[in-house]
């Protein structure tokens, strides 16, 4: 095996991505080295590049999502073998970033792929699913979740039968997975916002009603939801998390309900992890299963993930393939950061880098 690999590097804060080389890392105890076949782009990659978010040291390797084959086993790994096809989420260190040809992953949070799932499809899953799942089912805390019982936990499948829920931004990667998880939990109606062109995509994920945010702006959203269901709405997942979307979501939320946000909570809503007016609560999710506070949750999710994907109960995002290997991820990250991508996940093949 070669000692060096191609990688997309960040050399300093605010510097553009630069194609270069770095050493192939060696797995420690409980880790595996994965040869990355497909890597996906997320908005956080743009913030890592532009503002140095989560960077521990330069040069740095961004990228949170990948799928590939297990190449080397670390000490004590029992659940995986060399050659296994897996998907995994990174944590913010250069050896684990996915914008390179090889990266490290924790074996307990690397899920085997069913035969029906391609590397490209699998690479769309990790961060979006983690953010959705931790927001809905993660424990309460300053960067926690709504603490509902997950559908892979005993008694969790269908537990919230026929309770309505709202997902703001249902065509986003996080929104797609939030809808699918809510369906597994039994929620009905599942109402979502999206543009008219993405209605079918959002309904395929499990939404029962779709509100066009172009014709129904956020101040009008509470009335639109009330026109769909007269029942109190105990959960709103706001995958957009703008000031206006949060205000609307808070107004819709039932007493003692949970609002999940992916960005900084607005001053107009409650303080994360604490009860606000009418017992309402805001969950400001940190969607990484490898964060120390989330590893136990992540182990449970990843233990169930292969089966959920194999059964079709969880489906990947739609893929837009980028040509040119790692080099294509620089432009792809810019497109995602500037919100130029809709209802698709940008994916590149690191092994095809020239």
């Amino acid at each position: 095996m070669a000692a060096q690999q191609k990688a997309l590097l960040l050399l300093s804060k605010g510097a553009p991505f630069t194609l270069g080389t770095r050493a192939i890392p060696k797995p420690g105890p409980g880790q595996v080295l994965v040869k990355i076949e497909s890597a996906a782009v997320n908005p956080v990659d743009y913030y890592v590049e532009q503002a140095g978010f989560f960077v521990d040291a330069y040069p740095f390797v961004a990228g949170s999502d990948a799928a590939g084959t297990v190449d080397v086993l670390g000490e004590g790994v029992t659940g995986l073998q060399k050659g296994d096809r897996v998907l995994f989420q990174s944590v913010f260190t250069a050896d684990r970033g996915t914008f390179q040809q090889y990266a490290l992953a924790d074996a307990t949070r690397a899920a085997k792929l069913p035969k029906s799932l391609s590397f490209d499809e699998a690479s769309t899953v990790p961060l979006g699913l983690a953010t959705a799942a931790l927001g809905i089912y993660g424990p309460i805390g300053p960067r926690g979740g709504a603490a509902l019982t997950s559908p892979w936990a005993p008694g969790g499948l269908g537990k919230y039968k026929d309770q309505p829920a709202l997902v703001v931004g249902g065509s986003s990667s996080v929104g797609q997975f939030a809808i699918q998880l809510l369906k597994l939990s039994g929620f009905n109606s599942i109402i979502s916002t999206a543009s008219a062109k993405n209605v079918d995509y959002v309904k395929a994920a499990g939404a029962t009603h779709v509100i066009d945010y172009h014709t129904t702006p956020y101040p009008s959203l509470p009335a639109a939801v009330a026109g769909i269901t007269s029942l109190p709405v105990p959960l709103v997942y706001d995958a957009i998390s703008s000031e206006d979307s949060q205000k609307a979501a808070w107004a819709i939320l039932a007493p003692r309900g949970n609002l999940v946000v992916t960005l900084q909570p607005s001053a107009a809503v409650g303080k994360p992890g604490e009860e606000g007016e009418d017992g309402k609560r805001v969950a400001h999710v940190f969607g990484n299963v490898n964060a120390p506070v989330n590893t136990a949750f992540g182990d449970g999710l990843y233990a169930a993930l292969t089966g959920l994907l194999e059964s079709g109960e969880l489906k990947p995002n739609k893929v837009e393939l980028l040509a040119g290997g790692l080099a294509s991820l620089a432009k792809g990250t810019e497109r995602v950061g500037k919100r130029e991508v809709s209802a698709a996940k940008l994916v590149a093949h690191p092994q095809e880098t020239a």
Side-chain angles (χ1 to χ4, degrees):
M1 182 179 181
Q4 296 286 311
Q5 63 170 324
K6 294 175 182 177
L8 199 63
L9 302 172
L10 289 171
L11 301 179
S12 61
K13 183 178 178 179
F17 285 111
T18 301
L19 188 62
T21 60
R22 67 185 305 269
I24 296 175
K26 296 180 180 179
Q31 295 182 326
V32 293
L33 178 70
V34 180
K35 181 181 180 182
I36 299 175
E37 300 294 343
S38 301
V41 182
N42 290 282
V44 69
D45 300 317
Y46 184 73
Y47 304 129
V48 168
E49 179 196 16
Q50 297 292 314
F53 282 11
F54 304 116
V55 175
D56 58 352
Y58 291 99
F60 188 75
V61 180
S64 292
D65 286 350
T69 56
V70 174
D71 200 70
V72 181
L73 302 177
E75 180 184 349
V77 172
T78 58
L80 296 171
Q81 298 179 3
K82 180 178 170 64
D84 281 345
R85 301 166 69 248
V86 296
L87 64 83
F88 66 97
Q89 183 181 14
S90 78
V91 71
F92 297 102
T93 64
D95 284 349
R96 299 182 63 154
T98 61
F99 288 3
Q100 56 190 334
Q101 293 178 316
Y102 293 85
L104 300 179
D106 293 317
T108 57
R109 291 180 297 284
K112 293 181 183 179
L113 308 188
K115 293 179 180 179
S116 60
L117 203 66
S118 70
F119 287 126
D120 288 349
E121 292 171 321
S123 71
T124 71
V125 172
L127 186 148
L129 176 61
T131 306
L134 281 160
I136 300 170
Y137 309 114
I140 295 167
R143 294 301 306 270
L148 274 60
T149 302
S150 71
W152 53 89
L157 188 65
K159 179 175 180 177
Y160 303 95
K161 180 176 171 59
D162 293 337
Q163 297 184 40
L166 169 67
V167 176
V168 181
S171 68
S172 67
S173 179
V174 173
Q176 282 280 293
F177 285 116
I179 291 169
Q180 293 182 62
L181 291 171
L182 292 170
K183 183 177 180 181
L184 285 172
S185 288
F187 283 91
N188 185 45
S189 303
I190 301 175
I191 306 163
S192 179
T193 66
S195 62
K197 66 181 180 180
N198 292 328
V199 167
D200 289 344
Y201 187 55
V202 174
K203 284 191 172 181
T208 58
H209 302 78
V210 182
I211 298 170
D212 184 349
Y213 64 83
H214 291 295
T215 57
T216 305
Y218 291 129
S220 302
L221 188 58
V225 171
I228 294 170
T229 179
S230 60
L231 295 174
V233 180
L235 183 77
V236 179
Y237 197 112
D238 186 356
I240 303 300
S241 298
S242 67
E243 179 80 11
D244 288 343
S245 69
Q246 291 187 52
K247 287 180 180 178
W250 193 247
I252 292 165
L253 192 65
R256 307 199 66 78
N258 289 280
L259 166 62
V260 183
V261 297
T262 55
L263 300 178
Q264 184 65 33
S266 165
V269 303
K271 187 175 180 180
E274 299 181 7
E275 289 190 3
E277 61 178 82
D278 298 327
K280 297 180 182 181
R281 192 164 51 216
V282 176
H284 182 199
V285 61
F286 180 56
N288 193 305
V289 294
N290 298 304
V293 70
N294 292 335
T295 54
F297 180 94
D299 286 349
L301 170 61
Y302 270 69
L305 184 50
T306 301
L308 291 170
L309 292 168
E310 191 167 28
S311 68
E313 291 173 299
L314 278 181
K315 299 179 178 64
N317 294 165
K318 187 170 75 174
V319 172
E320 180 184 334
L321 187 61
L322 302 172
L326 290 169
S328 68
L329 290 167
K331 181 63 176 176
T333 297
E334 182 180 5
R335 287 175 57 197
V336 170
K338 293 182 177 180
R339 298 181 180 270
E340 296 173 357
V341 179
S342 175
K345 198 81 162 176
L346 303 186
V347 175
H349 295 164
Q351 304 303 323
E352 296 177 2
T353 306

